[in-house]
């Protein structure tokens, strides 16, 4: 039996291009974890997935992956995505350090919730890059606002990950497209941190931007570090 998953490539974010290999490894591990969780929960399919125990390794001054998962894994998430008949199959958060080529470490906690049609990822970044600067480095970025906060909407390729459940071997290749919304934590684009919501489909069909914005508008105000000003 072979299973396939998709995970956004990290090099969509300009500040993180140097760690694409690390991201690929993390994506493979994440896919294997997701399959394990899904198999574990199949007997309890009537209940949506709750956030698993987070793998957090960051100081308390950063928002935890567990807290991001709690914000993202909300009961109305399927309705916000336009798939109200579905429910969360897996939900997981983690908090790790990403090490750039020069040795600089950046805290980047994240959480992912997977449904039958969509997967949604919420990431907090502390790379001190403004939203405008990030948008200027992306070919297809479109400036917008989310709840009055500066934001950019852009596309990112995903990595398709398949593995044989019997043989335990994983394979990777190009996947579909994720739509990503990078939003300043504050009303001003001051480089003091951003949140990013990424949305992609399991069938590689381009995701719905309207659904992405709906999720961002409801989820981001519930995340520690979000400022209404």
């Amino acid at each position: 039996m072979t299973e396939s998953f998709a995970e956004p490539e990290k090099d969509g974010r300009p500040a993180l291009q140097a760690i694409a290999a690390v991201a690929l490894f993390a994506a493979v591990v994440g896919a294997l974890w997701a399959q394990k969780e899904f198999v574990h929960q199949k007997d309890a399919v009537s209940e949506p997935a709750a956030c698993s125990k987070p793998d957090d390794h960051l100081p308390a001054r950063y928002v935890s992956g567990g807290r991001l998962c709690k914000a993202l894994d909300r009961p109305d998430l399927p309705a916000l995505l336009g798939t109200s008949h579905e429910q969360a199959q897996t939900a997981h958060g983690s908090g790790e350090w990403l090490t750039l080529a020069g040795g600089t470490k950046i805290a980047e906690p994240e959480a992912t919730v997977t449904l039958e049609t969509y997967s949604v990822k919420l990431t907090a970044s502390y790379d001190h890059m403004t939203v405008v600067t990030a948008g200027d480095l992306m070919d297809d970025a479109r400036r917008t606002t989310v709840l009055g906060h500066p934001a950019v909407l852009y596309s990112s390729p995903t990595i398709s990950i398949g593995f044989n459940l019997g043989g335990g071997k994983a394979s990777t290749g190009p996947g579909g497209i994720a739509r990503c919304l990078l939003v300043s934590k504050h009303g001003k684009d001051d480089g003091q941190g951003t949140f990013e919501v990424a949305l992609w489909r399991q069938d590689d069909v381009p995701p719905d931007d309207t659904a992405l914005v709906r999720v961002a508008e409801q989820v981001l105000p519930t995340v520690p570090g979000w400022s209404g000003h």
Side-chain angles (χ1 to χ4, degrees):
M1 179 178 179
T2 300
E3 295 289 339
S4 296
F5 299 88
E7 187 79 5
E9 291 184 357
K10 288 288 189 180
D11 49 348
R13 288 292 302 278
L16 302 179
Q17 291 177 356
I19 46 78
V22 176
L24 177 58
F25 174 76
V28 173
V29 173
L32 294 172
W33 171 89
Q35 177 62 22
K36 177 182 177 182
E37 287 296 304
F38 178 68
V39 171
H40 177 71
Q41 293 163 9
K42 286 180 70 174
D43 293 336
V45 69
S46 61
E47 294 293 330
C51 290
S52 65
K53 184 178 179 181
D55 185 20
D56 283 317
H57 303 283
L58 296 176
R61 66 179 179 274
Y62 300 111
V63 63
S64 68
R67 187 62 186 83
L68 292 178
C69 188
K70 182 178 179 181
L72 187 60
D73 188 26
R74 46 192 291 149
D76 63 348
L77 181 61
L80 294 174
L81 293 170
T83 57
S84 56
H85 61 286
E86 297 181 3
Q87 59 188 20
Q89 295 178 338
T90 66
H92 177 63
S94 65
E96 300 287 349
W97 293 104
L98 295 178
T99 303
L100 304 184
T104 302
K105 291 186 175 182
I106 298 176
E108 188 155 299
E110 63 183 31
T112 302
V113 175
T114 300
L115 297 87
E116 181 180 350
T117 300
Y118 283 108
S119 289
V120 192
K121 176 176 282 187
L122 173 61
T123 306
S125 185
Y126 300 86
D127 57 10
H128 303 294
M129 181 178 288
T130 66
V131 168
V132 170
T133 299
D136 288 343
L137 296 173
M138 301 173 189
D139 292 334
D140 70 337
R142 177 170 62 87
R143 294 187 187 183
T144 183
T145 58
V146 174
L147 302 176
H149 291 221
V152 291
L153 181 67
Y154 70 98
S155 298
S156 178
T158 67
I159 302 171
S160 177
I161 305 169
F163 56 93
N164 189 297
L165 297 182
K169 294 182 178 180
S171 60
T172 63
I177 295 296
R179 292 293 282 168
C180 309
L181 193 59
L182 183 68
V183 187
S184 174
K185 292 181 179 180
H186 305 119
K188 293 183 178 181
D189 190 14
D190 53 11
Q192 297 302 306
T194 57
F195 290 120
E196 183 174 272
V197 182
L199 179 64
W200 67 98
R201 291 177 60 109
Q202 319 302 356
D203 56 9
D204 293 340
V205 173
D208 181 5
D209 284 353
T210 303
L212 174 61
V213 173
R214 276 199 305 266
V215 172
E217 289 180 340
Q218 295 300 315
V219 170
L220 293 181
T222 69
V223 180
W226 174 266
S227 172
H229 303 288

